[in-house]
Structures are given as structure tokens and as C-alpha cells.
């Protein structure tokens, strides 16, 4: 059993959260396995995939040393189902106090989404363990620098439209990690593996 702060640290330690957004459990598990086998230890499976809960359950059992989370968690019922399936952290596109409370009640970490300074402050006030800055494609690393100047305590995870090549710039601007989806997980297992290995080298370079 890990404490919430340990889950958060493990989810963000490599500076990258791999987001596996596919259309069924089988393709999600396949892409997630490729990412995990290549060395990325933090993976989010959005609940927009109808097979996400099965995928979370199977991957959590197969990769006990990895930190598997659920994405697009919009309400309390989804939060409970995701945690029961094995999700250690819950990511939302917005700040929902009930989702954050539910995550904490069951020992999971909560990463709500925010697109403004006001929303970031609200997320922190509600107890967010980290804040997903979304959509990052509408912002820039300098925005993160400016926000961190005012809110140095805010653990920000820009997500949405980020490519592996963008990651070092966001991290050097003060992001604690980046969420990367299709730019990381598309293609064959071999292509994913090369991308992950290159990304992990650059994120820690």
C-alpha cells in the first residue's frame, strides 16, 4: 500500500505521464504494455475508452511496480469504479470537488484539470495532488514560468497537444511533468518503444 504522496511522486517522477487514448480495452492494453515495457512507469487510461476499467485492472496486476491511473474522471461514480479497478491516480479535465474527495477517501491521488490561474488556485484549495494544465496547446512554457512565479507551490502537469520534443521546454519552465497522448502512443509497439526511450533520455538530459 502506498500513501497518496508516494503515488503522486511515482506518477510524476520521470517527468512524463503516458496517456493511452484508444477505442477498446485490447488496443489500450497493447499500447500501454509497449509504453511500460520501454521503461515509462506512469500511464493514464482515459475512461472515454469503454474498456478502460478492464485495461486498468489487467495492467495494474501485470505491472505492480508501475503507477496506473484513470483519465477523464468526471464524477464520483466513475472515480469509485476506477479506483476499484486499480487506478492509483485520477485525472479530470476540470476541477470537481467530489472527484477529488472521492480519490482521497480511497487513498488515490487526484490531478484535476485547470486552464486558468483562478482554476489552478481552486484546484489546490480543493486538495489537488497535482494540477493538469489543459489544454496545453493553447498555452506555452512561458505561461507555466509566469504562473509558477506567482504560485511556486503549484505542481503543474501540462497536457494536450504536447509532443515528445516539447517536453524538455515545459520541464525547464517549471512543469513537474507532461501528459503525452497520441504523439507517444501511436504506431506499432516497436515505434512506441523507440519514442519512449528517446523521450526519457531527453526528459532527464
Amino acid at each position: 500500500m502506498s500513501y497518496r504522496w508516494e503515488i503522486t511522486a511515482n506518477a510524476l517522477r520521470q517527468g512524463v505521464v503516458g496517456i493511452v487514448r484508444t477505442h477498446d480495452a485490447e488496443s489500450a492494453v497493447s499500447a500501454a504494455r509497449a509504453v511500460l515495457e520501454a521503461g515509462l512507469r506512469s500511464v493514464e487510461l482515459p475512461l472515454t475508452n469503454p474498456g478502460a476499467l478492464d485495461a486498468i485492472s489487467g495492467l495494474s496486476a501485470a505491472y505492480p511496480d508501475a503507477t496506473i491511473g484513470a483519465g477523464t474522471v468526471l464524477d464520483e461514480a466513475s472515480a469509485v469504479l476506477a479506483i476499484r479497478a486499480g487506478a492509483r491516480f485520477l485525472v479530470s479535465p476540470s476541477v470537481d470537488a467530489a472527484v477529488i474527495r472521492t480519490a482521497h477517501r480511497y487513498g488515490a491521488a487526484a490531478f484535476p484539470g485547470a486552464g486558468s490561474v483562478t482554476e489552478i488556485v481552486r484546484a489546490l484549495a480543493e486538495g489537488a495532488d497535482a494540477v493538469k494544465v489543459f489544454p496545453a496547446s493553447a498555452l506555452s512554457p512561458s505561461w507555466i514560468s509566469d504562473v509558477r512565479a506567482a504560485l511556486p507551490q503549484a505542481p503543474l502537469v501540462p497536457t494536450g497537444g504536447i509532443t515528445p520534443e516539447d517536453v524538455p521546454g515545459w520541464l525547464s519552465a517549471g512543469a513537474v511533468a507532461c501528459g503525452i497522448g497520441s504523439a507517444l502512443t501511436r504506431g506499432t509497439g516497436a515505434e512506441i518503444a523507440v519514442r519512449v526511450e528517446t523521450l526519457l533520455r531527453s526528459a532527464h538530459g
Side-chain angles (χ1 to χ4, degrees), residues 7 34 39 58-59 98 106 129 131-132 135 137 139 146 149 152 164 171 196 203:
I7 292 168
L59 290 163
Y106 292 100
D129 298 286
V131 181
K132 165 185 169 178
S137 55
L139 305 167
D146 291 344
L171 296 180
V196 169

Side-chain angles (χ1 to χ4, degrees), residues 11-138:
L12 306 177
R13 178 166 287 129
Q14 291 174 300
V16 180
V17 178
I19 304 166
V20 179
R21 196 178 288 284
T22 64
H23 299 297
D24 56 58
E26 190 179 356
S27 58
V29 168
S30 174
R33 279 184 180 277
V35 166
L36 291 161
E37 294 290 344
L40 189 60
R41 310 315 295 158
S42 178
V43 173
E44 169 197 332
L45 288 99
L47 297 185
T48 46
N49 179 333
L53 296 175
D54 289 338
I56 289 167
S57 178
L59 290 163
S60 297
Y63 297 91
D65 295 335
T67 306
I68 309 296
T72 323
V73 181
L74 299 178
D75 50 49
E76 198 168 345
S78 302
V80 172
L81 290 172
I83 293 165
R84 284 184 179 158
R88 315 297 300 282
F89 63 93
L90 306 182
V91 183
S92 306
S94 60
V95 181
D96 187 293
V99 170
I100 297 169
R101 279 199 304 271
T102 302
H104 293 174
R105 190 177 299 133
Y106 292 100
F111 303 166
S116 69
V117 175
T118 300
E119 290 174 352
I120 290 169
V121 172
R122 181 167 165 244
L124 295 174
E126 295 288 359
D129 298 286
V131 181
K132 165 185 169 178
V133 175
F134 176 83
S137 55

Side-chain angles (χ1 to χ4, degrees), residues 140-158:
S140 67
S142 62
W143 190 87
I144 295 285
S145 310
D146 291 344
V147 170
R148 292 263 305 164
L151 300 171
Q153 75 278 22
L156 304 178
V157 184

Side-chain angles (χ1 to χ4, degrees), residues 143-202:
W143 190 87
I144 295 285
S145 310
D146 291 344
V147 170
R148 292 263 305 164
L151 300 171
Q153 75 278 22
L156 304 178
V157 184
T159 303
I162 293 179
T163 67
E165 296 74 32
D166 297 333
V167 170
W170 288 98
L171 296 180
S172 64
V176 293
C178 293
I180 308 187
S182 58
L184 187 65
T185 58
R186 66 175 186 271
T188 66
E191 289 168 339
I192 292 171
V194 169
R195 226 175 274 130
V196 169
E197 288 159 11
T198 304
L199 175 57
L200 291 178
R201 278 198 303 274
S202 72

